[in-house]
Amino acid sequence: MALAGCLGTGGGDGSGGGDGTTIRYLSDRGDSKEVMDQIVSEFEEQSDYTVEMIYTAKGTSSDQEMQKMVAAGNPPDVIFDTSTDAYRLQRDEVLAPVTGAVEDNDLPDPVSVDDESYFAAAMVEPLMGWYRSDVYDEDPETWENWLSEAERVTGEGEMNGYVVQSGQTNNADTQMTQYLWQNDVEIYRGPSDDIEVTVDEGSDREAAVETFEWVKRMAEFSPNGSGWEWGDAIGALQQENAAAIVSVGGLPILTIQGNRPDLVETLEPMPFPVPSGKSQDQWWAYMEGHLVRNDGQATEGAQEFVSFFNESDRFFDFVLSAPLFQFPPTRAQLDSEAVESNETIQQFPEVMELVREHWDVFTSVLATGDDGAPNIVAADAYGNQAFGQAADQLLVGGKSPEETVDWLGGKLREFQR
């Protein structure tokens, strides 16, 4: 599995010149090489352009490889990346718009600036929890029930009841952000060009303190998750060190099923825990897709390819190369026959039920300005894993919940420009 630039399988070295008809495509999805070759061939048959695929080496992010190529004077034309990274690059004025691709395919538009779109989503990857149905009779759902049930399971001595993660990792950052959202904390306020940090002010501060109090108590029934990434939590579940984790979509299923099909049979999906009386009204969902740099050798061809991608006959083959983990970016595509008939998806109808039920509240971390306006402070905070660091201040550094919220507010203001 590749996730948000974490993994790849090797490929081009980023050297070589452009000729204006060769589209240089940088991707961390080397695991999808076979289907990408088919999409590229399909495009080249009806286009005057050719596509040179460049896959990141294992352990190298798309951003690292892109910077190497830019430094060498040969920037890529197309990059497969997250919407968060797209917004940062748009701020740096190195992106060309992909408005046509967004409008023609009715795609979500998280990076919209001055009526132009700079990111064409190819997939959505919502956060999702998983619990052992042979350990928990049902999803405890609320913060209060999770505390008592996780304490019960941990007290039985065989495994921890839950996994709380902290530190400068993507997993810890998304987990802590979502917990604040669950308690209706308004972290930011304002339009895109004037974002204010509000997490440590007034009623939002009170709710944020309450959130970190709950996190601290839940950590008593968790292994030490400082510095843990997605695979670490999944490993704790697979090794039966924990009875519940939060992850991304069905990634735990795809990771565990080859070695422990017996364990997979006990796993049930769930939303993040909520405080009593609260509802799921803001649900973090990663978006990955295409952006086009404006300093490459084949910008127009790159825009043409991005428009073509979601229309390709092989589009669903690409998205469904990791079913349950990644979902198509539109509701119409989600309800398509290609998705409905997928064998893996059919094995886990509870996942699709959860996704469909909450589709309308899936949101990018970017959409946290007024009325969902793109928020560059949130993009930079995620890039630096500020919320995961806050959890480390609480759980490792010994700060009180109040001190943690004040630390977080100060950290977020460092990203204001």
Side-chain angles (χ1 to χ4, degrees):
M1 291 303 128
L3 177 61
C6 294
L7 300 178
T9 59
D13 61 5
S15 62
D19 58 11
T21 61
T22 300
I23 301 165
R24 294 161 61 77
Y25 182 150
L26 175 64
S27 174
D28 64 353
R29 290 305 178 96
D31 54 326
S32 300
K33 183 180 185 301
E34 182 177 350
V35 66
M36 280 305 307
D37 286 346
Q38 295 171 341
I39 292 175
V40 166
S41 295
E42 191 181 350
F43 172 74
E44 290 177 342
E45 288 175 2
Q46 55 93 65
S47 170
D48 295 329
Y49 294 93
T50 58
V51 179
E52 176 190 354
M53 295 298 302
I54 302 168
Y55 293 107
T56 59
K58 185 175 182 179
T60 302
S61 71
S62 295
D63 185 67
Q64 289 172 317
E65 187 66 28
M66 178 189 68
Q67 296 303 331
K68 287 169 54 180
M69 295 171 70
V70 170
N74 296 295
D77 298 290
V78 180
I79 308 168
F80 190 85
D81 215 328
T82 67
S83 58
T84 309
D85 288 325
Y87 197 28
R88 287 199 290 266
L89 289 171
Q90 190 282 327
R91 174 190 58 190
D92 295 340
E93 300 182 346
V94 298
L95 294 189
V98 289
T99 310
V102 172
E103 293 179 348
D104 293 347
N105 293 285
D106 196 27
L107 299 177
D109 193 14
V111 188
S112 177
V113 180
D114 297 330
D115 297 323
E116 294 281 14
S117 306
Y118 292 89
F119 175 79
M123 60 184 63
V124 172
E125 299 150 350
L127 299 183
M128 193 176 297
W130 291 88
Y131 69 94
R132 292 270 300 265
S133 61
D134 58 335
V135 176
Y136 294 100
D137 292 335
E138 60 183 3
D139 176 8
E141 294 186 353
T142 68
W143 284 6
E144 296 78 5
N145 289 346
W146 267 108
L147 278 170
S148 60
E149 280 293 275
E151 181 177 16
R152 175 187 63 80
V153 172
T154 304
E156 291 174 355
E158 295 184 1
M159 66 183 77
N160 291 282
Y162 195 77
V163 172
V164 174
Q165 288 157 256
S166 64
Q168 200 163 356
T169 70
N170 290 346
N171 198 354
D173 199 76
T174 57
Q175 188 175 132
M176 293 306 138
T177 302
Q178 185 67 53
Y179 290 141
L180 291 167
W181 286 357
Q182 299 294 75
N183 206 23
D184 295 336
V185 177
E186 187 176 34
I187 301 170
Y188 310 98
R189 188 178 302 132
S192 294
D193 59 354
D194 190 22
I195 295 293
E196 301 175 44
V197 174
T198 55
V199 67
D200 56 351
E201 297 177 352
S203 60
D204 290 306
R205 184 179 188 277
E206 293 177 11
V209 168
E210 183 180 75
T211 301
F212 281 109
E213 287 174 345
W214 180 81
V215 167
K216 185 174 182 178
R217 292 185 64 192
M218 283 298 290
E220 297 175 19
F221 315 119
S222 166
N224 182 354
S226 179
W228 279 21
E229 268 292 2
W230 311 101
D232 298 302
I234 294 170
L237 191 64
Q238 178 171 322
Q239 294 158 22
E240 302 191 68
N241 292 327
I245 67 170
V246 287
S247 189
V248 182
L251 186 59
I253 295 291
L254 299 176
T255 305
I256 296 172
Q257 65 181 353
N259 297 320
R260 291 291 309 276
D262 59 314
L263 181 59
V264 166
E265 292 178 359
T266 73
L267 298 180
E268 294 288 338
M270 67 180 190
F272 268 53
V274 294
S276 293
K278 300 294 177 70
S279 60
Q280 298 283 342
D281 55 9
Q282 194 175 14
W283 188 319
W284 180 310
Y286 280 100
M287 288 187 189
E288 294 191 79
H290 295 104
L291 42 148
V292 173
R293 288 188 65 103
N294 59 19
D295 54 357
Q297 297 294 316
T299 302
E300 291 185 5
Q303 291 169 315
E304 183 179 315
F305 177 81
V306 171
S307 292
F308 169 83
F309 184 88
N310 285 69
E311 302 168 2
S312 167
D313 291 339
R314 301 294 182 181
F315 170 75
F316 283 105
D317 293 335
F318 177 80
V319 174
L320 295 174
S321 62
L324 299 179
F325 164 51
Q326 53 198 34
F327 301 88
T330 72
R331 182 58 188 256
Q333 292 170 332
L334 184 73
D335 293 335
S336 68
E337 172 62 24
V339 174
E340 292 277 2
S341 61
N342 179 268
E343 182 178 352
T344 303
I345 287 175
Q346 287 182 340
Q347 291 176 20
F348 300 93
E350 301 89 351
V351 175
M352 290 304 296
E353 181 180 345
L354 200 62
V355 169
R356 288 194 173 97
E357 180 182 353
H358 296 93
W359 182 265
D360 292 338
V361 297
F362 287 167
T363 185
S364 164
V365 70
L366 293 178
T368 44
D370 287 353
D371 300 319
N375 179 354
I376 195 62
V377 179
D380 286 336
Y382 172 71
N384 289 272
Q385 292 96 26
F387 294 86
Q389 290 188 63
D392 243 7
Q393 294 290 323
L394 175 77
L395 302 177
V396 180
K399 280 184 168 55
S400 68
E402 292 83 0
E403 291 170 331
T404 300
V405 173
D406 293 337
W407 182 93
L408 177 60
K411 187 69 175 178
L412 295 179
R413 289 187 180 88
E414 293 178 8
F415 304 122
Q416 292 177 312
R417 297 191 177 192

